[in-house]
Amino acid sequence: MYQWTSLFLYKFQFLAELLIAEGIFCVSFPRRSHFWWRFPLGLLLLAGLVYAIPIADYGLFYQTFLFLGIFALSIGYICFVFEEPFLNLLFLAVAGYAVQHIAFCCYQFFMVATLFGGGTSLAIYGKGITANDVVTFLSFYLFILFYAVTYLGAYFLWGRSLRKEKDFMISNRWLFFIAILFVFLAVFLNSVMITKDTPKDNQTELLVGFAYGILSCLLVLVVLFKIKEAKQAENELAIVEQLWREDKAHYELAKENIDIINIKCHDLKHQLAAIRLGESKDLDALKGVENSIMIYGAMVKTGNDALDVLLSEKTLFCGNNGISLTYIVDGERLAFMSYSSIYSLFGNALDNAIEYVKSLSEDKRFIRLSVKAQDDMVAIHIENYLEHELPLEAGWPKTSKGDKAYHGFGLLSMRKIVEHYDGEIFLKTDHNLFAIDILLPSKVEGSGEKNHELGLPNEQSK
Amino acid sequence: MIRIAIVEDCKEDAEILESFLGRYESEEKTSFALTHYKSGVAFLENYHGDQDIIFMDIDLPGMNGLDVSRQLREKDETVVLVFLTNLAKYAIKGYAVNAFDFIAKPITYYSFSTMLRRAITRASLESKDEVMINSSGSLLRLPLISISYVEVFSHQVIYHTDNGDYSEWRSLSSIEANFLSHGFAKGSSSYLINLRRIKALTGEKVTLSDGKVIYISRRNKKEFAQTFAQFLAGE
């Protein structure tokens, strides 16, 4: 059972083929801590475990068990090394196995079709190699060639796209399950062929079998990356929905603001009329006029048009809802962002904060915003009072069902925008404060002047 | 003892502020040394870099709060400056005088206390502490903020400053805590980087204002970026 027969050796070759194929997909995913310890030590342990699997039988079922067993161990290894949800790692491993199987089938298809070296390429599944050395060497180079081409092809077709889209989820678990079954079926059929057939006698049967292996695994890969992409389309749909909802809410808000201004203008007219007729004590009436005019004091100048519109509107709304909204904003430094991104990013952040503080008692209704810059970096900070503890999970709030609909999408949309600009977003809850910190590289060359003019009006003296 | 100056001409507002500071002292078991100025001119005449936090009204008689702050920054670039105002829009450009933040009047305690907590943390970050180092036999004092980054190399710690490099035999971990509480962040097991000197941070690449490039480790990347973001925002 532990003799160094070719199948016993092939266990390790198969393990290596499998790990490299899985590596194509896993390489850019977040690694666990102490990665450089886990990686070699896990590999050693894995090799030990594979060594420990005995070759109890050369039959069909045992060979299938052997390969699927090694595959299962390789999944365990990946989970030990990479930090990703299990289903995602399983996805990557299955994709890896499919690629390995395609490479294997391509190589064997060629070897059987040409009857290279007298059709001994399947001898590895037996007890000894009988071919002479030259043929063995040549077939080794062919082997390397076929695997290299297949693996590189898989990397460029699918592996590369994973670099950018690390945040994926499997949208259809049924299809995923069926895809896994198809890989298992291909492995099983393969065992049927290699244990029963010999290249010389059953050439056609084998060629059909390997062709089937190639095509079924290709299909599996296409399906896998389809159900992965589908999830992203769902994400995008969610954002579009959110933006639409916001536009609607935005309209209602703007309308409310216009109503406020209209009412104030109406009051103003009557107050002026009262002064003209001398009906009221002048001082009171003037105070009223002053208050009415104060509302126009909300017009904001930050150095960024999109932010001016947004902040003017939010200031007006906050003023009428007893919320103190304050900001220190270096708006010129946001010039690298599109207006729609700015409107959406700040709008989402402020809406979330407004929605939350509105539920608090009046003395706790404050929101503070700052946009500050240092050289090529811009930091956005938004904070508001936090009444109760808000547990964060992996830096993100655990949302209860009720507020997920609102808060969750807002944050998701913000994160998408921040990622678009190669930035980072962090949430923090601490001592009754909820804070969002956003770090963005501004990429704008030559805009590093430090001392902007202060836009202070002249009528400052009392 | 945290030293706080209040520059405020309105008696009522100053009293509210003082009562809030008193409440904070007793609730958080800390103590403040308060100085109250009624005008910006009086404040500037008496200021010698000896405060930790300054609360400055913008609407001051004579010289307004922003002009006072501009002159203050010529004397002291780092002291934590918080504006007080009832006209929020005048404070928008507070970043130009490196204002920490501002509080809108009328002041409420919760708005005030949450900001004060951050201001105190910031003040300790900006304190003008020095490190004593033993560089090739001679003892010298380096102001922490004059150090652009610290590097460990074959059991030596190298302090890279504006005036050249200094090294001494010690481990990075023995000085780490002190630096981390003064606006430095850990880039990897061998670098502590002064956050004030970062020109750009893209992925794992840190570019310092003098052009020097340092690569931070993957493991420290996220925490480093968060510390930097919070530092820039004034936390």
Side-chain angles (χ1 to χ4, degrees):
Chain A
M1 297 216 304
Y2 286 97
Q3 286 107 359
W4 289 95
T5 61
S6 44
L7 180 59
F8 194 80
L9 275 173
Y10 182 71
K11 284 197 300 190
F12 297 102
Q13 185 192 324
F14 172 72
L15 177 66
E17 289 173 10
L18 194 58
L19 286 180
I20 294 169
E22 289 168 350
I24 290 174
F25 297 112
C26 291
V27 66
S28 52
F29 282 84
R31 300 156 176 183
R32 285 192 188 276
S33 56
H34 309 294
F35 172 81
W36 291 109
W37 281 108
R38 284 170 183 270
F39 175 64
L41 288 180
L43 206 56
L44 228 73
L45 183 70
L46 182 62
L49 286 171
V50 168
Y51 176 86
I53 305 175
I55 307 290
D57 182 30
Y58 288 86
L60 153 69
F61 289 104
Y62 194 76
Q63 290 220 358
T64 308
F65 160 76
L66 182 66
F67 292 128
L68 294 184
I70 293 174
F71 177 56
L73 287 176
S74 80
I75 295 170
Y77 174 65
I78 292 175
C79 295
F80 179 66
V81 174
F82 291 99
E83 183 132 39
E84 265 289 296
F86 173 73
L87 264 187
N88 285 12
L89 287 176
L90 182 64
F91 174 96
L92 301 172
V94 171
Y97 199 175
V99 168
Q100 186 275 337
H101 197 67
I102 290 172
F104 166 82
C105 287
C106 287
Y107 170 66
Q108 291 295 353
F109 187 91
F110 175 81
M111 297 303 270
V112 172
T114 56
L115 287 177
F116 191 84
T120 52
S121 59
L122 288 178
I124 42 167
Y125 296 99
K127 289 173 183 154
I129 292 172
T130 49
N132 64 54
D133 289 345
V134 178
V135 170
T136 314
F137 269 113
L138 264 180
S139 39
F140 175 71
Y141 288 126
L142 279 169
F143 163 79
I144 295 287
L145 180 74
F146 271 95
Y147 274 73
V149 169
T150 313
Y151 281 22
L152 278 175
Y155 176 74
F156 282 107
L157 274 175
W158 294 293
R160 208 167 42 157
S161 69
L162 283 171
R163 273 182 178 273
K164 279 261 156 189
E165 301 162 0
K166 278 176 221 165
D167 211 13
F168 75 93
M169 270 170 94
I170 295 148
S171 60
N172 190 327
R173 292 198 180 177
W174 275 110
L175 267 182
F176 182 48
F177 181 65
I178 290 167
I180 295 174
L181 282 187
F182 259 82
V183 175
F184 287 180
L185 185 66
V187 172
F188 180 73
L189 281 180
N190 193 58
S191 298
V192 171
M193 296 186 302
I194 59 180
T195 48
K196 290 268 164 62
D197 302 338
T198 56
K200 270 185 186 146
D201 306 333
N202 312 80
Q203 198 184 17
T204 323
E205 244 171 71
L206 278 172
L207 289 180
V208 170
F210 288 133
Y212 170 79
I214 295 169
L215 290 177
S216 66
C217 284
L218 269 177
L219 187 68
V220 163
L221 282 169
V222 170
V223 167
L224 283 182
F225 281 84
K226 206 86 207 166
I227 57 176
K228 181 196 118 305
E229 283 164 3
K231 178 61 196 173
Q232 281 178 340
E234 268 176 35
N235 274 347
E236 278 155 17
L237 200 68
I239 291 169
V240 171
E241 265 171 18
Q242 162 71 4
L243 291 177
W244 177 80
R245 265 217 321 264
E246 246 156 49
D247 282 346
K248 220 175 121 182
H250 177 203
Y251 170 74
E252 278 153 17
L253 269 176
K255 192 168 175 299
E256 193 180 317
N257 291 336
I258 290 164
D259 290 347
I260 294 168
I261 292 172
N262 284 340
I263 293 167
K264 289 288 177 190
C265 286
H266 186 79
D267 290 351
L268 209 57
K269 222 163 70 183
H270 282 273
Q271 282 155 358
L272 287 171
I275 293 170
R276 200 173 48 228
L277 296 171
E279 274 174 14
S280 69
K281 284 187 180 167
D282 288 6
L283 217 65
D284 281 354
L286 282 173
K287 192 85 190 156
V289 173
E290 194 187 33
N291 279 340
S292 301
I293 292 169
M294 277 291 279
I295 202 151
Y296 296 101
M299 296 309 148
V300 177
K301 285 267 169 277
T302 64
N304 182 288
D305 291 349
L307 213 50
D308 288 352
V309 172
L310 183 75
L311 287 178
S312 297
E313 186 194 320
K314 299 297 177 205
T315 303
L316 219 50
F317 181 83
C318 287
N320 282 294
N321 285 275
I323 300 167
S324 150
L325 169 63
T326 56
Y327 29 82
I328 289 186
V329 176
D330 193 349
E332 283 169 31
R333 300 301 305 269
L334 293 171
F336 66 96
M337 290 179 82
S338 74
Y339 279 3
S340 63
S341 297
I342 290 173
Y343 201 87
S344 185
L345 182 68
F346 286 86
N348 266 308
L350 289 174
D351 285 348
N352 279 352
I354 288 170
E355 192 70 11
Y356 179 77
V357 299
K358 249 166 52 174
S359 67
L360 302 176
S361 63
E362 198 136 333
D363 56 343
K364 292 170 183 168
R365 291 187 199 165
F366 64 85
I367 299 166
R368 290 192 282 254
L369 164 71
S370 75
V371 177
K372 292 180 183 176
Q374 174 175 313
D375 293 321
D376 297 348
M377 304 303 291
V378 178
I380 300 165
H381 177 88
I382 298 145
E383 64 180 24
N384 60 264
Y385 191 81
L386 185 69
E387 185 95 88
H388 302 290
E389 295 256 311
L390 177 72
L392 294 182
E393 197 173 40
W396 223 241
K398 277 194 208 169
T399 37
S400 61
K401 267 203 175 143
D403 53 58
K404 187 166 193 161
Y406 195 86
H407 227 80
F409 281 119
L411 284 173
L412 180 72
S413 159
M414 286 170 68
R415 188 166 67 171
K416 287 276 164 196
I417 294 167
V418 170
E419 279 172 2
H420 174 77
Y421 289 98
D422 294 324
E424 306 260 7
I425 179 166
F426 306 99
L427 306 184
K428 195 175 131 189
T429 62
D430 187 27
H431 285 104
N432 294 110
L433 269 187
F434 173 78
I436 301 176
D437 276 293
I438 295 167
L439 184 65
L440 296 165
S442 65
K443 287 182 205 156
V444 181
E445 301 295 330
S447 64
E449 5 169 319
K450 280 260 160 91
N451 290 315
H452 299 265
E453 267 308 297
L454 297 183
L456 197 70
N458 298 324
E459 75 282 345
Q460 261 299 295
S461 49
K462 281 192 181 170
Chain B
M1 181 76 83
I2 299 151
R3 299 159 301 176
I4 297 178
I6 299 170
V7 189
E8 169 66 84
D9 62 310
C10 172
K11 197 164 166 266
E12 292 81 30
D13 288 344
E15 274 167 6
I16 292 171
L17 205 59
E18 278 168 23
S19 78
F20 283 172
L21 284 165
R23 181 170 163 192
Y24 191 92
E25 273 181 312
S26 60
E27 279 181 10
E28 305 292 328
K29 305 204 168 34
T30 180
S31 62
F32 301 132
L34 292 186
T35 321
H36 180 196
Y37 299 96
K38 289 192 176 66
S39 80
V41 181
F43 164 73
L44 284 173
E45 273 171 9
N46 289 291
Y47 187 70
H48 306 289
D50 48 1
Q51 300 289 351
D52 297 308
I53 301 169
I54 296 162
F55 288 101
M56 174 98 60
D57 184 26
I58 288 192
D59 207 2
L60 288 170
M63 197 193 293
N64 75 54
L66 284 166
D67 288 332
V68 175
S69 301
R70 231 179 267 127
Q71 292 198 16
L72 165 69
R73 283 303 180 215
E74 284 168 18
K75 290 184 176 185
D76 187 337
E77 287 178 12
T78 56
V79 63
V80 174
L81 173 64
V82 179
F83 283 125
L84 307 166
T85 179
N86 40 21
L87 284 171
K89 66 174 181 175
Y90 296 155
I92 293 174
K93 301 214 169 179
Y95 61 85
V97 287
N98 189 20
F100 174 75
D101 214 330
F102 78 93
I103 303 180
K105 295 177 188 174
I107 309 168
T108 67
Y109 183 68
Y110 296 103
S111 162
F112 176 78
S113 64
T114 50
M115 168 163 324
L116 182 60
R117 182 188 307 281
R118 279 179 45 208
I120 291 168
T121 312
R122 184 67 179 197
S124 75
L125 206 74
E126 299 287 10
S127 67
K128 297 156 184 80
D129 288 2
E130 295 177 326
V131 279
M132 277 281 269
I133 69 163
N134 186 348
S135 183
S136 49
S138 58
L139 277 175
L140 48 107
R141 288 170 173 279
L142 292 177
L144 267 160
I145 51 169
S146 76
I147 298 166
S148 127
Y149 66 102
V150 186
E151 178 184 13
V152 67
F153 185 72
S154 65
H155 306 294
Q156 285 200 80
V157 165
I158 304 162
Y159 304 88
H160 297 267
T161 77
D162 302 330
N163 309 315
D165 301 347
Y166 302 93
S167 60
E168 66 173 335
W169 295 96
R170 56 157 68 238
S171 69
L172 201 61
S173 57
S174 64
I175 58 165
E176 191 177 298
N178 186 28
F179 277 82
L180 293 187
S181 62
H182 285 91
F184 283 66
K186 196 171 177 173
S188 70
S189 51
S190 45
Y191 284 104
L192 297 172
I193 300 167
N194 189 341
L195 296 169
R196 301 161 187 88
R197 304 299 179 92
I198 296 177
K199 183 173 187 291
L201 169 66
T202 42
E204 282 144 40
K205 183 183 169 192
V206 177
T207 312
L208 300 182
S209 46
D210 61 2
K212 160 89 184 169
V213 170
I214 297 171
Y215 285 90
I216 57 179
S217 74
R218 222 183 152 111
R219 199 172 56 168
N220 291 50
K221 184 183 144 187
K222 206 172 169 84
E223 204 186 323
F224 189 90
Q226 184 165 16
T227 312
F228 183 48
Q230 288 168 353
F231 177 83
L232 284 192
E235 272 180 77

